[in-house]
Amino acid sequence: MSMKLYASLTLTVWLFMATFSRAQYVIDTNGEPVDNDDEYYIRPAITDNGGRFTLINRNGSCPLYVGLENTDTPLGYPVKFTHFALNVQDEDIRVNSDLRIEFVEVSTTCVQSTEWRVGENDTRSGRRLIITGLDDNFGSIGNYFRIVETQSVGIYNIEWCPMEICSDCGFVCSTGGILREDGRIFFALDGTPLPVVFQKKDD
Ligand SMILES: *[C@@H]1O[C@H](CO)[C@@H](O)[C@H](O)[C@H]1NC(C)=O
Ligand SMILES: *[C@@H]1O[C@H](CO)[C@@H](O)[C@H](O)[C@H]1NC(C)=O
């Protein structure tokens, strides 16, 4: 192999790796990697879609639903991310990897966990709303989400598709978006995806 060809191959591989590794980790609104020790507010990338993510009481009963504040105010709850066990050595949160999302610093009278969970297909909207609570089924698959890239750096979608837990389960994967109902904004699958950003909570 000629030196020139070798050099250009090396460059190609290096460019590929550089692109790939930069793309691998989720970054917050400060351009820092999102990690599993800190707390983050999730917000729509475009504020017309509502404010920070929060918990909403949908119909006077538990469990609470995952939704968004109506306006961009300092309300809402931060979340923490937890990797699927296989990635547990890694502090930084990767794109396209299964993780759990839990609201923290919440006080509620509901006994359920504040972890995000995919709900049943809702008869009113024909969409799967995101609720809170632990999924006791096989692999806790209802509790695992993933962060996926959009075409803009630092802007992501949140998807339900726990492929690391079961790659051949034939999940009906879908990306989270908003569902407006009676003046409130819920987070639900099976609609237009909502681009979001992660804002680190100040200590
Ligand atoms: C809310 O009310 C609907 C009926 O209107 C019911 O099917 C659903 O289970 C209720 N949700 C909760 C969380 O209790
Ligand atoms: C949910 O139900 C609606 C009909 O009410 C259906 O069109 C849709 O495909 C269902 N979604 C899933 C994920 O099963």
Side-chain angles (χ1 to χ4, degrees):
M1 190 157 54
S2 82
M3 214 47 208
K4 207 168 160 192
L5 178 61
Y6 179 77
S8 91
L9 267 180
T10 307
L11 182 65
T12 309
V13 168
W14 185 85
L15 278 177
F16 176 78
M17 303 255 306
T19 311
F20 184 72
S21 56
R22 195 183 58 223
Q24 229 182 343
Y25 292 101
V26 179
I27 56 170
D28 68 14
T29 51
N30 297 321
E32 304 284 331
V34 169
D35 67 55
N36 60 8
D37 281 334
D38 287 306
E39 300 177 5
Y40 297 87
Y41 292 106
I42 306 180
R43 288 198 286 116
I46 302 161
T47 49
D48 281 356
N49 288 318
R52 290 174 175 175
F53 277 57
T54 190
L55 284 165
I56 302 181
N57 185 329
R58 191 174 184 212
N59 48 10
S61 57
C62 297
L64 300 173
Y65 283 72
V66 176
L68 283 72
E69 297 288 343
N70 280 306
T71 52
D72 200 14
T73 59
L75 296 170
Y77 296 111
V79 301
K80 275 188 116 163
F81 301 101
T82 309
H83 299 289
F84 177 52
L86 290 179
N87 300 329
V88 85
Q89 322 84 302
D90 202 347
E91 256 187 26
D92 293 333
I93 300 295
R94 281 189 260 167
V95 297
N96 304 322
S97 71
D98 295 344
L99 50 85
R100 303 169 84 111
I101 308 175
E102 181 182 14
F103 281 117
V104 291
E105 301 181 21
V106 176
S107 86
T108 149
T109 53
C110 291
V111 297
Q112 284 87 1
S113 153
T114 54
E115 279 199 41
W116 293 22
R117 175 182 182 175
V118 176
E120 300 288 322
N121 196 353
D122 176 58
T123 46
R124 247 188 283 177
S125 60
R127 294 174 62 181
R128 289 168 288 174
L129 277 75
I130 308 304
I131 59 172
T132 49
L134 294 180
D135 180 5
D136 299 327
N137 294 313
F138 159 76
S140 305
I141 51 170
N143 287 128
Y144 281 94
F145 295 82
R146 45 179 58 203
I147 298 170
V148 299
E149 292 181 296
T150 65
Q151 285 176 351
S152 310
V153 175
I155 300 182
Y156 301 91
N157 288 132
I158 298 174
E159 189 179 88
W160 179 76
C161 196
M163 295 282 283
E164 280 181 301
I165 296 168
C166 182
S167 58
D168 57 2
C169 278
F171 298 121
V172 185
C173 294
S174 184
T175 306
I178 61 178
L179 169 67
R180 291 180 188 272
E181 185 185 272
D182 306 330
R184 292 172 304 175
I185 311 173
F186 293 94
F187 192 57
L189 305 180
D190 312 316
T192 307
L194 176 72
V196 296
V197 294
F198 303 102
Q199 178 189 9
K200 187 169 167 181
K201 180 174 180 289
D202 297 326
D203 299 319

